[in-house]
Amino acid sequence: MPAGEIRTAQWISGDRGVALLAWSNEPEHGLLPEPLISSGTGALGYCGYLGRRALDERNLATTEDLGAVTASLGGCFSVFRARENGIEAATSLARVCPVYCAEAGGIYVMGSRALLVHLVARAAVTGKVRPSVDWDVMALQPMVRHGFFTNDETPFRGVRALPAAAVLTAGRSAGVRLRTSPLPAVEPAPTSAKQARERVESLADALVKAAAPIARHGEPVRLALSGGRDSRLMAAVLKAANVPIVATTHGFADDPDVVLATRIAKRLRIEHQVSLTETGGRRDAVVVRHPFLRTYDIIRTCEGMTSAYEDVNRWTSYEFTPKTSGSGGETLRGGFLYNQDDTSPEGIQKRLRTIFLAAEAFVTRQANERALEDYRMWSERARADGPGVLDRIYLFYRSGRWLVGAHTATLMTSPYYHPFLDNQVVREALALPADWRWSEEVVFRLLELLAPELADIRPEGKRWRFERDRPRHLIGWPAWWRRSALVPEGRTSGFNWRKSFDEDFLALLRDEVMNAPQELFDVVHRPKIEELFGTVPKSWTNQVWHVYTLAVLLAGTWRGAPPDLPPVRIPIP
């Protein structure tokens, strides 16, 4: 973003051995924190938002036990604190706001941007003001598999992400210490409808409280509304919290998301804005940005930790309208269990292998060996609690690594809220058994409690899992029939141009990959990649995007000004 949009702040200790530096493009406003907050003997800064801003800021600034305070807070945040004797950083349970750390050249660096942490550490080692990047090429192997990191590594050698619910301290005398808070104890599954209601009521109360910071804006929140389970539940939470809503939906007219979102908005009596997919005036094609420009933006914003298969916001002048969506709702449905039909020990072990060793044929032997350590650790843990492991891995790596990129991009342009990933909501959710959340009964009961008018609107794709074969009670048969799933039926309703493109588009991707630096082929298996990019793929299209992203990343062409490239036309089958 333009330098003129950024304001800065700094705090430096008396002997210049400790520093806390902050940058922000957020405007000065009563609802937004200052880049740095004085704490008398030091300074405090945080990313994201706090549930009770003024009180929470005071507690964070004055407490001697940062971990205890952060565990008690609502909101989505990461915290940085500096004093004369050292620095501290803390993450929330969902760690949508990350902390990265590195140690080099006699200094310890913590920050919210992995590349900045790396460059400061590199400067300490090289003595250069503008040091080069030292890529950890083998660490990129999860990007080939999934387009995000399924561990705490980064593309930068020596830089790691701080775990969830953790406090990292670097002190003059005490050295470096990492402390993690225990996850909430899982309570037994309810054995009666009364117990189920009580457990869901506690979670519902936490969700409504998590929406309270949005209400402080005094204007409608823009809700990205689809026909899915999570965004409709978010609409119900916002209504229950008395937050005014303007819902927005994008897609083809026959897309279930558009059809169902329209019904949901009408039932809740909220304003609904539908943006139909651009077709260039004809329904036989879509027109999209050149893939290099798409990748250029995502690398600069997400620091090489998100694939260009995804799309993120580009910089625009800051707009103070609050925004939210159903992101993170899978936590209420068992994390990675949410789409796991086979919950047997064998089925869960197979899923773990997919998480850590997917697309084995497309990466080199050394890259597969790099992934084995993570796989073996989680595979062993799953022998004792398979459902719980899939639940936690989702929180740690899907929410805590994949969602970070999109969240970072969105925060550049507006205040963004994640009630599903609120620190206290996650604690309430994790106390419920993962397999009960997996049944989707928790989400359905939340809808019945917060917005009963939505309970009978058809789900998208599949029936609610807890009633997939029959209703819970005989009296529920009529409502059960009304809740049959809505599936894509029209020609464009299931169309995804990122997975269905032609040879002309593939050629743009192929040229970049085949001319990439050798480092790319240290991590991806060249013969299989040549085969993949040889013809328009019918499968493994995600890997096409992931490898293309790494090719642009390692080539370094994203460091300069963006080239002037025309949009691309992709035919609709």
Side-chain angles (χ1 to χ4, degrees):
M1 64 185 66
E5 297 285 334
I6 300 172
R7 54 195 179 111
T8 66
Q10 66 178 28
W11 178 90
I12 300 175
S13 64
D15 65 357
R16 306 188 65 80
V18 182
L20 184 58
L21 314 174
W23 298 262
S24 177
N25 73 305
E26 292 177 342
E28 294 187 47
H29 193 282
L31 292 180
L32 296 175
E34 288 299 308
L36 286 185
I37 301 162
S38 175
S39 63
T41 59
L44 168 78
Y46 62 91
C47 301
Y49 62 94
L50 301 171
R52 302 165 302 173
R53 183 189 151 198
L55 177 61
D56 293 344
E57 286 179 355
R58 285 198 301 272
N59 289 339
L60 288 169
T62 59
T63 182
E64 292 301 320
D65 189 345
L66 191 60
V69 170
T70 54
S72 71
L73 300 181
C76 293
F77 55 83
S78 59
V79 178
F80 300 86
R81 192 171 71 169
R83 294 179 173 181
E84 291 288 336
N85 62 346
I87 56 174
E88 291 180 291
T91 54
S92 66
L93 254 178
R95 65 167 178 176
V96 176
C97 297
V99 173
Y100 301 102
C101 52
E103 186 173 12
I107 66 168
Y108 211 95
V109 192
M110 307 173 190
S112 60
R113 298 288 289 177
L115 179 56
L116 287 180
V117 167
H118 179 64
L119 292 177
V120 172
R122 288 278 293 157
V125 171
T126 65
K128 296 181 179 179
V129 175
R130 297 181 64 85
S132 60
V133 171
D134 184 12
W135 301 112
D136 188 348
V137 175
M138 284 301 156
L140 296 171
Q141 52 87 16
M143 287 288 294
V144 183
R145 308 178 200 277
H146 301 296
F148 63 95
F149 278 73
T150 51
N151 53 35
D152 291 335
E153 296 182 322
T154 73
F156 314 108
R157 195 177 309 280
V159 179
R160 293 183 65 85
L162 194 64
V167 176
L168 183 64
T169 303
R172 297 181 185 278
S173 57
V176 178
R177 182 172 58 148
L178 174 65
R179 292 169 292 152
T180 56
S181 299
L183 297 179
V186 180
E187 300 172 9
T191 57
S192 67
K194 180 176 182 294
Q195 284 186 2
R197 283 195 300 272
E198 291 172 349
R199 301 283 290 280
V200 168
E201 284 172 358
S202 180
L203 178 56
D205 183 59
L207 283 165
V208 171
K209 289 179 179 176
I214 311 176
R216 293 196 295 252
H217 284 263
E219 64 174 289
V221 62
R222 294 186 69 83
L223 168 66
L225 180 65
S226 71
R229 284 126 164 95
D230 301 327
S231 67
R232 74 174 63 183
L233 177 57
M234 182 55 64
V237 169
L238 295 170
K239 284 286 286 186
N242 295 315
V243 177
I245 307 167
V246 173
T248 62
T249 306
H250 178 78
F252 288 101
D254 55 358
D255 193 313
D257 277 343
V258 173
V259 174
L260 291 172
T262 301
R263 295 178 187 174
I264 292 165
K266 184 176 181 181
R267 194 72 62 88
L268 290 177
R269 296 189 176 96
I270 59 176
E271 182 180 345
H272 187 211
Q273 300 173 356
V274 178
S275 172
L276 296 180
T277 296
E278 173 65 41
T279 61
R282 301 166 57 185
R283 288 185 60 85
D284 61 347
V286 294
V287 177
V288 301
R289 294 181 77 213
H290 192 284
F292 179 86
L293 296 178
R294 180 187 180 94
T295 308
Y296 175 96
D297 284 334
I298 206 161
I299 288 175
R300 291 171 72 97
T301 301
C302 304
E303 304 181 292
M305 291 181 280
T306 304
S307 167
Y309 178 82
E310 310 296 338
D311 195 15
V312 299
N313 286 358
R314 296 182 295 279
W315 177 82
T316 59
S317 294
Y318 197 90
E319 179 187 1
F320 199 66
T321 300
K323 297 180 181 179
T324 191
S325 70
S327 294
E330 293 87 357
T331 300
L332 307 183
R333 295 188 280 127
F336 271 130
L337 284 172
Y338 80 93
N339 61 355
Q340 178 75 16
D341 288 331
D342 183 0
T343 58
S344 68
E346 296 77 18
I348 288 176
Q349 288 290 341
K350 183 178 179 181
R351 181 65 179 275
L352 287 172
R353 188 169 185 88
T354 299
I355 291 172
F356 294 104
L357 290 163
E360 289 178 83
F362 294 102
V363 301
T364 61
R365 177 180 57 82
Q366 296 93 328
N368 278 320
E369 289 175 352
R370 181 83 168 240
L372 277 173
E373 184 177 347
D374 290 327
Y375 166 66
R376 288 168 179 160
M377 176 186 68
W378 286 105
S379 175
E380 182 61 32
R381 293 181 182 181
R383 300 186 195 283
D385 181 15
V389 160
L390 286 187
D391 186 31
R392 289 190 291 274
I393 288 176
Y394 187 95
L395 179 68
F396 294 161
Y397 304 136
R398 184 73 169 176
S399 298
R401 300 305 310 271
W402 173 74
L403 193 57
V404 168
H407 185 64
T408 299
T410 305
L411 288 179
M412 290 194 304
T413 60
S414 66
Y416 198 90
Y417 294 87
H418 275 301
F420 288 150
L421 296 172
D422 175 90
N423 203 38
Q424 297 309 312
V425 169
V426 174
R427 290 190 178 278
E428 288 285 345
L430 292 185
L432 303 178
D435 49 2
W436 186 39
R437 283 179 280 131
W438 165 81
S439 75
E440 298 186 325
E441 184 182 2
V442 171
V443 169
F444 187 78
R445 284 183 176 274
L446 284 168
L447 279 172
E448 288 184 315
L449 181 63
L450 297 172
E453 60 267 48
L454 300 184
D456 281 347
I457 290 183
R458 300 169 68 181
E460 189 271 332
K462 295 180 179 180
R463 278 191 176 274
W464 295 100
R465 184 175 274 115
F466 71 92
E467 62 171 20
R468 189 149 296 174
D469 299 320
R470 63 184 64 85
R472 288 176 292 182
H473 311 290
L474 288 176
I475 198 173
W477 276 102
W480 184 81
W481 283 112
R482 290 194 298 271
R483 286 197 295 267
S484 64
L486 182 64
V487 298
E489 293 180 349
R491 182 169 72 95
T492 58
S493 62
F495 174 65
N496 181 347
W497 66 267
R498 297 169 298 175
K499 290 178 175 287
S500 180
F501 44 78
D502 60 4
E503 169 59 35
D504 290 342
F505 190 79
L506 178 65
L508 298 175
L509 306 177
R510 182 194 300 121
D511 288 347
E512 186 75 39
V513 169
M514 294 311 162
N515 290 293
Q518 175 57 41
E519 287 90 341
L520 176 66
F521 301 102
D522 291 338
V523 70
V524 300
H525 186 51
R526 185 162 198 146
K528 287 295 294 183
I529 296 303
E530 289 175 344
E531 179 183 334
L532 177 64
F533 281 82
T535 58
V536 176
K538 301 298 183 183
S539 60
W540 300 106
T541 46
N542 286 34
Q543 275 62 44
V544 169
W545 283 100
H546 304 343
V547 172
Y548 177 80
T549 304
L550 295 183
V552 177
L553 175 74
L554 294 171
T557 45
W558 52 274
R559 293 178 181 142
D564 184 13
L565 296 171
V568 181
R569 179 182 178 274
I570 297 179
I572 300 173

